[in-house]
Amino acid sequence: MARFFKSLLLLSVILLFSCQEGHEAGDLLGQWRLKGSDTNYLSFSGSVTEFRDISFSDIALGQIYGNFQHKGDSLFIQCYSARETASDTAVIENNFGFRPFNDIRVKITVLDKDQLVLTRGDKTWSFEKY
């Protein structure tokens, strides 16, 4: 029960800061599915992002929240872990391939109503609107 309240408190704080910052997701708004995967999704709303891997039997284990900033062609994401477990980091770093967990910086190379392509160095992530 304590975990539930800790998770709820963390989510409330993230949402509160999201509302106060006043950032709009703009063209990022909505849910995106990682191409080549039926289980990995990325959602944007306000200044809050959610990484979700639905392959977990307990869906809450596959949900990681964070704040993001979209500046020009750059996307900055700061993830937060309510449970503070290695599985949270693994969802972001292993399942999605974003590193480091708490300081993701990528370039937006394509962003339109149907697709989102992120790059960093020689790594590319392609998402489609879901």
Side-chain angles (χ1 to χ4, degrees):
M1 188 64 128
R3 258 190 197 172
F4 171 76
F5 287 113
K6 187 176 179 182
S7 297
L8 185 60
L9 178 63
L10 179 64
L11 180 59
S12 298
V13 169
I14 291 171
L15 292 175
L16 177 64
F17 285 121
S18 156
C19 294
Q20 289 179 344
E21 290 175 8
H23 293 283
E24 294 296 326
D27 292 338
L28 290 169
L29 180 67
Q31 183 168 285
W32 300 86
R33 183 176 64 87
L34 184 62
K35 287 186 181 178
S37 170
D38 289 331
T39 62
N40 294 327
Y41 296 85
L42 179 57
S43 300
F44 297 94
S45 179
S47 65
V48 176
T49 187
E50 174 196 15
F51 290 87
R52 189 167 22 135
D53 182 342
I54 62 171
S55 67
F56 286 81
S57 58
D58 179 353
I59 199 76
L61 293 177
Q63 292 177 309
I64 309 300
Y65 293 93
N67 289 105
F68 75 91
Q69 292 181 348
H70 177 194
K71 294 183 179 180
D73 66 351
S74 298
L75 181 61
F76 306 95
I77 301 174
Q78 178 72 38
C79 293
Y80 299 96
S81 172
R83 295 175 302 276
E84 298 177 3
T85 65
S87 68
D88 289 347
T89 303
V91 167
I92 302 300
E93 293 186 354
N94 299 337
N95 299 21
F96 282 89
F98 291 113
R99 287 189 171 91
F101 170 80
N102 58 358
D103 190 20
I104 300 167
R105 297 167 183 247
V106 291
K107 180 179 178 184
I108 299 173
T109 55
V110 176
L111 175 58
D112 60 35
K113 64 179 185 158
D114 297 320
Q115 65 177 340
L116 168 64
V117 178
L118 306 174
T119 59
R120 184 177 60 222
D122 61 349
K123 181 80 173 156
T124 300
W125 297 269
S126 296
F127 294 87
E128 58 191 0
K129 196 74 164 225
Y130 187 79

